[in-house]
Amino acid sequence: MKRVKSISQMKEISENWRKEGKKIAFVPTMGFLHEGHLSLVRLGKKLGDKLVVSIFVNPLQFGPAEDFREYPRDLERDAALLEKEGVDVLFCPEAEEMYPPGFQTYVEVAELTKGLCGAYRPGHFKGVTTVVLKLFNIVKPHLAIFGEKDYQQLQVIKRMVKDLNLDVEIVGHPTVREKDGLAMSSRNTYLSEEERESALSLFKALNFAQNLVKEGERDVAVLKKKLKEFIESHPFTKVQYIEFVDPSELTPVEKVEKETLCALAVFVGKARLIDNMLIKP
Ligand code: AMP
């Protein structure tokens, strides 16, 4: 596996692969890799002839009061994991090269970013779409893989690709969970043992929602109230949002009459965790 820091070197490698007719698969990450990331990597390995994984903790997508500084990092451990998976290039640029002095151009998906996480993390998705478009221009992938764990992010990126006519196929990958249901996340490392126990309430709440709907409850106001009570009956938890939205437009629904996305964000101690599930009536 080649480790590449420089943008020009990454571009050159990809240009050469393209000339050779290779199909380039790409998995962008912020590192501190877990089995969720590695599942995306394995899918990339299957779908492309060449596989690039990026590790870049993107300062642009963190708010001033968020965890950019504390975000867990371990490049050597990550590199060893990726090497084992047969990744061709690990691209890990420096923030100084990605955002040199004078940088002032951003990409914004206007509507899909208004609700859910976008409502609580102003500027977050603008940071995500800007860095992802930059990474696409540098890595020049034919396809890129994103996790459904970050459901809104996946929809936002699909929209950007469509709206800007980018020649990249966006492939979604189902959420990878621990045996007990906790969605894997680099931020799970913030959890103490007791907090981790409480963090299970997110997945349990999503299943609870599915069961309530199956038993006939359709009223979103009622569902939200029950889920919030359930989650906050666990110590260290504070619900940021529980939303039921149309799975493609991400607009709120009042009644669960068709397949609906239930998405939640919950603080467990200082860790802000998200999870989601498609609920079928
Ligand atoms: P991150 O490093 O958190 O920015 O995540 C990089 C990519 O991995 C994103 O596309 C995420 O949606 C995806 N990802 C993170 N956690 C999981 C998970 N538990 N299951 C599936 N995909 C995930």
Side-chain angles (χ1 to χ4, degrees):
M1 182 179 75
K2 216 179 179 120
R3 212 187 289 190
V4 176
K5 257 188 166 185
S6 121
I7 292 174
S8 59
Q9 194 190 350
M10 185 68 247
K11 282 187 164 184
E12 193 183 316
I13 291 171
S14 289
E15 272 155 25
N16 286 332
W17 283 340
R18 279 189 168 253
K19 272 183 214 146
E20 292 164 15
K22 304 290 190 211
K23 185 168 182 182
I24 305 171
F26 177 42
V27 179
T29 81
M30 298 204 299
F32 214 73
L33 304 177
H34 49 66
E35 275 299 310
H37 297 115
L38 296 180
S39 310
L40 271 59
V41 166
R42 286 171 203 138
L43 179 61
K45 192 77 195 153
K46 255 192 250 162
L47 297 179
D49 304 315
K50 295 287 178 186
L51 175 59
V52 179
V53 176
S54 65
I55 294 183
F56 181 61
V57 185
N58 175 32
L60 217 58
Q61 71 190 67
F62 287 80
E66 292 183 354
D67 57 343
F68 175 68
R69 274 173 195 282
E70 304 102 82
Y71 197 84
R73 295 161 169 89
D74 190 342
L75 190 59
E76 293 313 314
R77 176 182 157 275
D78 289 347
L81 289 169
L82 295 174
E83 175 103 54
K84 255 198 240 157
E85 298 296 333
V87 170
D88 295 286
V89 170
L90 165 56
F91 178 52
C92 41
E94 298 285 354
E96 291 72 24
E97 202 190 356
M98 289 293 273
Y99 304 115
F103 181 90
Q104 54 187 286
T105 306
Y106 302 88
V107 194
E108 195 163 12
V109 174
E111 295 300 324
L112 285 176
T113 58
K114 282 192 173 149
L116 304 177
C117 290
Y120 298 90
R121 303 186 71 188
H124 167 68
F125 286 111
K126 184 172 156 186
V128 169
T129 41
T130 301
V131 81
V132 168
L133 181 58
K134 279 173 72 74
L135 289 168
F136 284 177
N137 284 332
I138 297 164
V139 175
K140 308 176 193 297
H142 295 86
L143 67 101
I145 304 167
F146 292 85
E148 287 169 4
K149 153 122 189 318
D150 301 278
Y151 189 96
Q152 187 176 20
Q153 170 173 282
L154 174 61
Q155 297 309 315
V156 165
I157 294 196
K158 281 185 176 167
R159 191 73 236 180
M160 171 181 77
V161 163
K162 192 170 184 187
D163 288 352
L164 299 182
N165 310 96
L166 305 182
D167 288 322
V168 187
E169 182 194 347
I170 303 302
V171 179
H173 186 291
T175 302
V176 179
R177 299 178 180 282
E178 305 279 2
K179 277 201 187 76
D180 57 11
L182 180 66
M184 289 191 182
S185 164
S186 308
R187 289 190 168 99
N188 291 348
T189 51
Y190 296 149
L191 300 169
S192 69
E193 215 171 294
E194 293 97 331
E195 286 167 345
R196 196 195 171 287
E197 213 35 52
S198 287
L200 287 176
S201 65
L202 278 81
F203 184 58
K204 286 183 189 160
L206 293 168
N207 286 300
F208 183 34
Q210 177 62 80
N211 283 332
L212 289 168
V213 170
K214 211 191 270 171
E215 285 161 11
E217 184 57 66
R218 295 282 183 272
D219 189 332
V220 165
V222 174
L223 291 165
K224 278 192 191 182
K225 186 163 175 286
K226 288 192 170 170
L227 264 53
K228 182 170 156 64
E229 277 169 11
F230 172 76
I231 292 172
E232 292 187 344
S233 72
H234 297 73
F236 316 111
T237 58
K238 179 86 193 101
V239 170
Q240 186 175 58
Y241 70 75
I242 299 170
E243 298 289 349
F244 288 77
V245 297
D246 176 273
S248 44
E249 298 306 319
L250 306 185
T251 44
V253 303
E254 283 174 13
K255 300 257 177 249
V256 181
E257 310 286 15
K258 56 185 179 67
E259 196 171 65
T260 300
L261 184 84
C262 178
L264 24 104
V266 179
F267 280 98
V268 183
K270 67 171 181 141
R272 181 183 177 278
L273 305 180
I274 58 171
D275 205 344
N276 68 79
M277 191 183 272
L278 280 172
I279 305 286
K280 295 178 186 80

